[in-house]
Amino acid sequence: MEMALTRIGLAGLAVMGQNLALNIAEKGFPISVYNRTTSKVDETVERAKAEGNLPVYGFHDPASFVNSIQKPRVVIMLVKAGAPVDQTIATLAAHLEQGDCIIDGGNEWYENTERREKEMEERGLLYLGMGVSGGEEGARNGPSLMPGGSFEAYKYIEDILLKVAAQVPDSGPCVTYIGTGGSGNFVKMVHNGIEYGDMQLIAEAYDVLKSVGKLTNSELHQVFSEWNKGELLSFLIEITADIFGIKDEQGDGYLVDKVLDKTGMKGTGKWTVQQAAELSVAAPTIEASLDSRFLSGLKDERVEASKIFQGDYSTGLPVDKAQLIEDVRQALYASKICSYAQGMNIIKAKSAEKGWGLNLGELARIWKGGCIIRAIFLDRIKKAYDRNSDLANLLVDPEFAQEIMDRQAAWRRVVCLAINNGVSTPGMSASLAYFDSYRRDRLPASQSSTSALILHAVPSKFGKCY
């Protein structure tokens, strides 16, 4: 007997691909799967059987895989960005027909997506670049999805995406059609840049509480757990609280104290900072988070430097723990507002440049569930853009402006305390400098501009400067 045609296909069965395929099948959509390494196909099919006899059908060759999907065929790729995407497209396109659709679910550079969309259009194929956020858990149980490109292609699979995406009770599925071209990939890229900023600010809050306040891991667990019940409620605060409670199974003490202080990156954070510079959009918090990752990578150099610059950099003054905890909470929240404001401004500037017409409030809505930066805070951002879709900057929304003003005293105390105790807070400091620059009607740029004019125009004893 011949198998009935499946609703959709998925090529690329690493962790994300496997889990997204199982999610799609679990939502009632029979799915064909393919991977160049055939053992991954068999592994995925076995998982589908073990997790409830889900309708996942495996294929070891691309022709059989493509021909098993109902027309117009839709295939999602989840492979490493760059050349592997082009190679997978070539493999699939050889068997696809006019009107079929390819969707790239990886973290791809948006211009590559726009190039591929044009190439596929010439072959009569539709193309989408779809950001997928939420990691392994999100892919399996409900990610935040950011599809951009062909609207016709989006309509092919809208019914699937609406069910597969994370579901937030008060605002619906965490998916929307982002816009034309590479907008879906661009939005996902900036989402990741914002994520960099979020993680850096949380790390700094931890460092100040640990290094200056001398909080124990047990106390830190309690503090972050309490913070996760209020305005800072988020996935990242939740998992931060959790890590402080995990003991080291291999020895004494807590796991957090044994983790190497060296952070890597996948590139999207760097792309975000590069795009901010190209668009002339200030993004100092996100940039500080990237610089901090670069510095963390210099582990051996830092160890040697610590020997050269030995000494007690603390003030030795007593610290009121309760006051410090409250001040750090307020500083973290105020800094977070600045970080998101910067990310939204990057998206806004790119949307204007490319004519994408992106809806910033809708982006905040689909980030409320499934993705890494999901947080109650995002509902506030959505409402801010609902009140004024042309908001110049999130900081000037009346509600956020008041929150910043209410927290700035605590914010300044934390940054000053950290500086005086030799504790680096680049993200919080950059956020505060961003706020202080943005709120002033006159900046020293006039002096630097005048100096530049003088240097270029006035001859010196060494001759004219150029």
Side-chain angles (χ1 to χ4, degrees):
M1 291 180 61
E2 289 190 7
M3 184 195 81
L5 297 177
T6 60
R7 177 70 169 78
I8 191 170
L10 190 146
L13 296 172
V15 173
M16 288 291 288
Q18 278 195 24
N19 282 286
L20 188 60
L22 294 170
N23 183 355
I24 291 170
E26 192 171 60
K27 298 305 186 295
F29 301 101
I31 183 170
S32 300
V33 295
Y34 165 76
N35 195 81
R36 190 173 60 176
T37 304
T38 57
S39 60
K40 288 288 186 182
V41 175
D42 300 336
E43 180 184 314
T44 305
V45 171
E46 286 303 312
R47 274 193 65 188
K49 290 177 181 176
E51 295 183 24
N53 284 319
L54 302 177
V56 174
Y57 302 93
F59 296 88
H60 289 178
D61 68 279
S64 300
F65 165 66
V66 169
N67 290 329
S68 71
I69 306 165
Q70 71 180 44
K71 297 179 183 180
R73 303 181 184 95
V74 178
V75 179
I76 298 175
M77 299 181 299
L78 273 165
V79 298
K80 188 177 180 180
V85 175
D86 289 310
Q87 292 162 6
T88 304
I89 289 173
T91 298
L92 297 173
H95 307 285
L96 294 172
E97 300 174 3
Q98 188 167 347
D100 290 345
C101 171
I102 298 175
I103 301 170
D104 178 13
N107 281 331
E108 185 56 90
W109 175 239
Y110 81 98
E111 289 181 339
N112 285 340
T113 294
E114 295 186 336
R115 167 180 62 80
R116 290 167 184 145
E117 185 182 8
K118 289 178 182 176
E119 291 172 354
M120 291 304 100
E121 186 178 4
E122 292 172 359
R123 301 179 65 159
L125 301 176
L126 305 180
Y127 196 82
L128 278 177
M130 182 171 70
V132 180
S133 179
E136 178 180 351
E137 180 187 350
R140 181 65 183 85
N141 300 307
S144 175
L145 300 170
M146 294 154 257
S150 165
F151 183 68
E152 184 182 354
Y154 172 73
K155 297 306 287 186
Y156 277 7
I157 59 160
E158 183 179 36
D159 60 328
I160 296 177
L161 299 184
L162 288 172
K163 289 188 177 181
V164 166
Q167 308 291 314
V168 176
D170 62 344
S171 60
C174 293
V175 61
T176 191
Y177 174 69
I178 301 296
T180 58
S183 58
N185 292 120
F186 191 89
V187 166
K188 175 57 164 57
M189 177 195 76
V190 177
H191 161 285
N192 286 16
I194 292 171
E195 180 186 323
Y196 274 41
D198 248 354
M199 290 191 288
Q200 177 63 30
L201 294 170
I202 291 170
E204 291 174 19
Y206 153 73
D207 197 12
V208 172
L209 293 175
K210 180 93 170 178
S211 301
V212 182
K214 308 302 180 185
L215 272 70
T216 65
N217 288 325
S218 179
E219 288 173 322
L220 287 164
H221 171 72
Q222 184 177 355
V223 166
F224 277 83
S225 295
E226 282 300 312
W227 286 357
N228 199 45
K229 296 175 184 177
E231 62 192 11
L232 289 171
L233 189 155
S234 64
F235 172 68
L236 288 172
I237 292 291
E238 178 188 344
I239 61 173
T240 302
D242 290 343
I243 193 66
F244 292 125
I246 300 176
K247 296 286 185 72
D248 180 9
E249 294 180 355
Q250 305 293 322
D252 297 330
Y254 288 82
L255 182 62
V256 68
D257 298 321
K258 310 291 180 67
V259 176
L260 182 66
D261 59 326
K262 186 175 178 179
T263 308
M265 56 173 222
K266 295 182 178 179
T268 46
K270 182 163 70 173
W271 289 347
T272 302
V273 172
Q274 289 171 335
Q275 278 297 292
E278 289 288 333
L279 295 163
S280 299
V281 174
T285 311
I286 299 172
E287 183 178 351
S289 71
L290 185 65
D291 287 342
S292 294
R293 290 187 179 219
F294 294 153
L295 283 166
S296 78
L298 304 176
K299 177 65 175 178
D300 293 339
E301 289 183 38
R302 289 188 289 109
V303 169
E304 291 305 310
S306 70
K307 297 172 185 176
I308 297 171
F309 303 110
Q310 288 183 41
D312 182 4
Y313 288 87
S314 67
T315 61
L317 298 174
V319 175
D320 182 332
K321 275 191 180 183
Q323 183 63 55
L324 178 63
I325 290 167
E326 178 57 18
D327 281 355
V328 172
R329 182 187 69 80
Q330 293 191 36
L332 176 56
Y333 186 75
S335 299
K336 186 182 177 83
I337 294 172
C338 291
S339 183
Y340 279 71
Q342 293 160 29
M344 287 301 190
N345 282 352
I346 295 169
I347 293 173
K348 180 181 177 183
K350 196 66 177 184
S351 178
E353 179 187 87
K354 301 287 287 186
W356 285 336
L358 303 186
N359 184 329
L360 300 184
E362 184 69 352
L363 299 185
R365 182 192 70 78
I366 67 169
W367 291 344
K368 285 173 61 179
C371 69
I372 303 300
I373 64 171
R374 60 184 182 267
I376 194 171
F377 170 76
L378 284 156
D379 194 50
R380 313 286 305 286
I381 295 178
K382 181 185 184 303
K383 289 176 181 177
Y385 286 111
D386 285 347
R387 285 190 289 270
N388 181 3
S389 60
D390 294 322
L391 197 61
N393 190 303
L394 205 56
L395 299 185
V396 298
D397 170 75
E399 287 195 12
F400 281 120
Q402 188 60 55
E403 289 184 332
I404 285 274
M405 293 300 289
D406 291 345
R407 289 160 178 77
Q408 66 165 326
W411 195 5
R412 296 181 193 282
R413 284 195 296 270
V414 170
V415 171
C416 288
L417 183 67
I419 291 171
N420 289 335
N421 282 273
V423 175
S424 175
T425 54
M428 288 186 182
S429 300
S431 294
L432 182 56
Y434 177 77
F435 167 66
D436 278 336
S437 295
Y438 191 71
R439 68 175 177 79
R440 296 180 64 189
D441 64 349
R442 188 169 178 81
L443 290 170
S446 59
Q447 177 58 38
S448 62
S449 297
T450 303
S451 299
L453 284 170
I454 292 171
L455 284 171
H456 284 79
V458 180
S460 72
K461 63 180 180 179
F462 302 109
K464 190 172 182 179
C465 299
Y466 291 96

